[in-house]
Amino acid sequence: MTVFGGIDGGALAASSTGTVNIDKKQQSGLYQTMQQEGYTTLPGLCFTTLYSHLPQILNQSRHQPVIFIDTYDYERLRGQAVRQRDNEYAQIRAMITETLQQQGIIRVIDYSRFYSASKKERYLRRYRRALESLSEHENQRIASQALDGYAQFGRGSYARAFREALDNWDINKDKLRQLRSHQDRIERGLADPIQFNEDLAAQYLAALAVREGANRYFDGINVVGTIGQGEQESIANVLRETDVPISDDVLGLSSSGQSLRTVGRPSIEETAGYHRVFEAVKTAAQEALDVQHNNWYTLGSRLAVPLHSTLFAGTSLSKVEQNPQEIAKETKQVLDRLDQRAETNQIEHIQYQAERIAEEHEMTNQTTNKIESQLREAANLANFSDDIYELQDTGDYSSEALFTAAAIKTDPHHRQNTDAIHRRAESLQRWLSSVTAPDHELTDYFDRADFKRKEKDRSRTNGFWVFSQQQRAISG
């Protein structure tokens, strides 16, 4: 099976824009059809980049896929949202993650269960030997190639609409400048390219090891690959150019790129196309309904991102902890009020609007029916935006109930009965509960490196990585 398009193994090392093949378990076709497909993410992934590509990832699978992320990444994300209530960007990312968990798309697992410290040390020692067999110039070229790949995939302008909606575009530009500055230091011989290449490989080796272990451990899930971030071709070049044999010990890595063929990355062009469709849908819905506010960003049929900063800052931990049942009851009243207006204020000539958008954006393979469904959802979200502001101004409902209602409306397949709302209120309570990540790591969340190497003391912090000072501030 091919995921995200594909290139053959021989082209892997030379390709900088293609995507890679994903191999599958050697099982019967019927059993494969019945299984969910799973993907591991790199430890220390950039959540915003992953979420910008969700429409393509979700549309490539026959069934809803499962995306595995490391417990430590999850805890840091949640911890920042809990302790920085006025950080709108942190609240948005937390709500996206929580909603994806509710839908069963995101699954949090402890990566250290599948990747021991001894195995990591053995893998990296062999890979380091391969790097040291290459010249400094070759290591500089390989490191620069990796940074080019990540800059294009993780920081490219294709995701500008999504990042601007999340108020992240200026942050992204600053991160890109820092990344380019580090690249310049490597190319001028002012930074250690071997250490950089080792840190980078450590991320991918960890994800490959977790994929291998998770594939054996989780019944009913075929973990078909790892979602990379555009740097894997530089690793393939190391394997191709070194004379050091490392394939026996390092997950079957070889100059043929066999193991790296299980690493894929979504198409930048297709992701950009989806976002252009979403922008057109949002604009059409807002103009047709003549609403004042449109504080949502649509990610297709699976998710919408709420952008209500006053709700994020105003939600009280103590009130949710004291009585989630009361919050659930109040939330039901809010949802009923929101639905009243949405039933009467809808887009006229919706099929014509959908046909026009589909014709203008045919490269995404979005059918008229799909876009029509998205327009209806966007119309509801636009109506909800106006009404949430109005309900907030009346003072009749708590920020906690309005926040929970907004969270529920991010999932277009949500249920609005009392039990479902109670479960969402309890989920919000868990999100707001105490966290294990230390304060200094939450403060420095945006200073995380994308390229990580060493293991932390998990008994103390449940963590997995410490980061190179010179590579900080690249991720986020």
Side-chain angles (χ1 to χ4, degrees), residues 48 50-56 58-59 96 100 162 166 271 274-275 278 296-305 374 381 410:
T48 306
L50 174 68
Y51 294 158
S52 73
H53 287 287
L54 271 180
Q56 185 186 354
L58 297 178
N59 279 296
I96 295 173
L100 291 172
F162 181 61
L166 271 60
T271 291
Y274 276 111
H275 287 298
F278 301 150
W296 305 82
Y297 189 89
T298 303
L299 275 171
S301 60
R302 306 287 188 127
L303 183 70
V305 182
Q374 290 171 12
L381 292 173
T410 62

Side-chain angles (χ1 to χ4, degrees), residues 364-380:
T364 61
N365 296 318
Q366 292 277 280
T367 65
T368 299
N369 287 341
K370 281 185 179 179
I371 293 177
E372 187 172 334
S373 175
Q374 290 171 12
L375 278 167
R376 294 186 192 281
E377 184 62 29
N380 289 335

Side-chain angles (χ1 to χ4, degrees), residues 1 48 64 75 79 85 95 129 153 174-175 180 202 253 265 267 282 293 304 311 324 328 385 394 451:
M1 176 189 174
T48 306
Q64 176 175 289
E75 280 297 302
R85 297 300 297 159
M95 187 175 288
R129 218 173 286 163
F153 179 80
D174 184 55
K175 301 294 185 185
R180 291 304 190 195
L253 290 179
R265 63 181 174 94
S267 161
K282 180 189 75 171
H293 305 97
L311 294 186
S385 288
T394 66
F451 311 104

Side-chain angles (χ1 to χ4, degrees), residues 136-386:
E136 182 177 4
H137 174 74
E138 288 171 319
N139 271 290
Q140 287 174 337
R141 175 176 52 79
I142 288 166
S144 185
Q145 180 187 23
L147 286 164
D148 275 337
Y150 176 69
Q152 181 187 36
F153 179 80
R155 301 291 177 196
S157 60
Y158 72 92
R160 178 166 184 164
F162 181 61
R163 286 188 178 273
E164 284 185 334
L166 271 60
D167 197 25
N168 176 252
W169 183 246
D170 287 339
I171 295 173
N172 183 64
K173 288 192 298 183
D174 184 55
K175 301 294 185 185
L176 184 59
R177 282 193 296 268
Q178 294 176 57
L179 187 151
R180 291 304 190 195
S181 175
H182 186 60
Q183 184 177 26
D184 181 62
R185 287 176 56 80
I186 286 177
E187 292 175 349
R188 293 167 56 199
L190 301 176
D192 184 353
I194 292 180
Q195 187 63 65
F196 177 90
N197 289 331
E198 181 184 349
D199 292 347
L200 171 61
Q203 234 186 329
Y204 281 83
L205 290 173
L208 288 170
V210 173
R211 171 190 174 267
E212 187 180 75
N215 215 3
R216 294 193 303 267
Y217 183 81
F218 292 104
D219 293 332
I221 300 177
N222 186 13
V223 189
V224 296
T226 291
I227 301 173
Q229 295 189 160
E231 313 104 333
Q232 60 266 26
E233 289 85 357
S234 69
I235 298 175
N237 276 339
V238 173
L239 302 174
R240 186 180 64 181
E241 296 176 17
T242 183
D243 294 328
V244 174
I246 63 173
S247 58
D248 291 342
D249 284 343
V250 188
L251 297 172
L253 290 179
S254 66
S255 59
S256 67
Q258 183 62 35
S259 187
L260 282 177
R261 291 177 66 190
T262 67
V263 180
R265 63 181 174 94
S267 161
I268 290 173
E269 292 77 15
E270 190 165 342
T271 291
Y274 276 111
H275 287 298
R276 286 192 291 270
V277 170
F278 301 150
E279 189 68 23
V281 166
K282 180 189 75 171
T283 300
Q286 188 173 11
E287 290 177 349
L289 299 178
D290 192 28
V291 297
Q292 282 188 311
H293 305 97
N294 194 14
N295 289 80
W296 305 82
Y297 189 89
T298 303
L299 275 171
S301 60
R302 306 287 188 127
L303 183 70
V305 182
L307 308 173
H308 293 276
S309 57
T310 53
L311 294 186
F312 297 143
T315 300
S316 166
L317 168 62
S318 60
K319 289 183 181 179
V320 178
E321 285 183 331
Q322 288 166 7
N323 200 344
Q325 294 90 347
E326 184 62 31
I327 296 298
K329 180 180 177 181
E330 190 181 5
T331 300
K332 181 66 168 63
Q333 298 173 0
V334 172
L335 291 171
D336 289 343
R337 289 282 299 271
L338 295 178
D339 288 340
Q340 290 174 6
R341 177 175 176 181
E343 289 177 2
T344 58
N345 193 33
Q346 288 294 321
I347 300 176
E348 296 181 357
H349 311 298
I350 191 168
Q351 185 174 2
Y352 166 76
Q353 294 273 26
E355 289 174 350
R356 177 182 60 81
I357 294 172
E359 184 176 345
E360 292 176 357
H361 303 277
E362 57 182 347
M363 71 165 288
T364 61
N365 296 318
Q366 292 277 280
T367 65
T368 299
N369 287 341
K370 281 185 179 179
I371 293 177
E372 187 172 334
S373 175
Q374 290 171 12
L375 278 167
R376 294 186 192 281
E377 184 62 29
N380 289 335
L381 292 173
N383 284 321
F384 298 152
S385 288
D386 263 12

Side-chain angles (χ1 to χ4, degrees), residues 316-476:
S316 166
L317 168 62
S318 60
K319 289 183 181 179
V320 178
E321 285 183 331
Q322 288 166 7
N323 200 344
Q325 294 90 347
E326 184 62 31
I327 296 298
K329 180 180 177 181
E330 190 181 5
T331 300
K332 181 66 168 63
Q333 298 173 0
V334 172
L335 291 171
D336 289 343
R337 289 282 299 271
L338 295 178
D339 288 340
Q340 290 174 6
R341 177 175 176 181
E343 289 177 2
T344 58
N345 193 33
Q346 288 294 321
I347 300 176
E348 296 181 357
H349 311 298
I350 191 168
Q351 185 174 2
Y352 166 76
Q353 294 273 26
E355 289 174 350
R356 177 182 60 81
I357 294 172
E359 184 176 345
E360 292 176 357
H361 303 277
E362 57 182 347
M363 71 165 288
T364 61
N365 296 318
Q366 292 277 280
T367 65
T368 299
N369 287 341
K370 281 185 179 179
I371 293 177
E372 187 172 334
S373 175
Q374 290 171 12
L375 278 167
R376 294 186 192 281
E377 184 62 29
N380 289 335
L381 292 173
N383 284 321
F384 298 152
S385 288
D386 263 12
D387 285 355
I388 283 176
Y389 277 105
E390 291 176 9
L391 294 177
Q392 191 175 17
D393 289 342
T394 66
D396 294 338
Y397 300 98
S398 68
S399 292
E400 292 71 33
L402 293 168
F403 181 93
T404 307
I408 288 171
K409 288 301 186 183
T410 62
D411 180 358
H413 309 297
H414 65 269
R415 298 178 182 275
Q416 291 192 192
N417 58 54
T418 303
D419 287 343
I421 296 170
H422 188 196
R423 285 194 297 272
R424 180 56 68 99
E426 288 181 329
S427 176
L428 175 61
Q429 181 183 10
R430 288 193 299 273
W431 264 93
L432 296 174
S433 64
S434 61
V435 296
T436 59
D439 283 333
H440 73 275
E441 293 186 359
L442 301 179
T443 302
D444 292 341
Y445 188 90
F446 289 109
D447 292 334
R448 300 183 66 188
D450 261 341
F451 311 104
K452 305 157 183 69
R453 187 168 64 90
K454 300 179 183 177
E455 191 175 33
K456 295 182 72 69
D457 177 3
R458 295 187 72 91
S459 64
R460 178 172 60 85
T461 66
N462 197 34
F464 201 33
W465 307 101
V466 292
F467 317 125
S468 162
Q469 281 290 105
Q470 65 183 359
Q471 294 169 342
R472 298 176 71 186
I474 293 177
S475 187

Side-chain angles (χ1 to χ4, degrees), residues 74-122:
Y74 170 84
E75 280 297 302
R76 287 166 62 92
L77 178 75
R78 187 173 70 86
Q80 190 193 39
V82 170
R83 299 184 189 176
Q84 299 179 19
R85 297 300 297 159
D86 59 345
N87 185 334
E88 183 177 357
Y89 178 48
Q91 305 309 316
I92 291 169
R93 291 193 308 170
M95 187 175 288
I96 295 173
T97 304
E98 194 270 344
T99 300
L100 291 172
Q101 281 187 278
Q102 291 278 330
Q103 295 181 4
I105 294 170
I106 289 288
R107 184 175 297 191
V108 180
I109 63 173
D110 184 349
Y111 274 25
S112 69
R113 292 178 58 190
F114 305 103
Y115 193 42
S116 67
S118 60
K119 183 183 290 187
K120 174 183 65 65
E121 183 179 354
R122 185 173 73 251

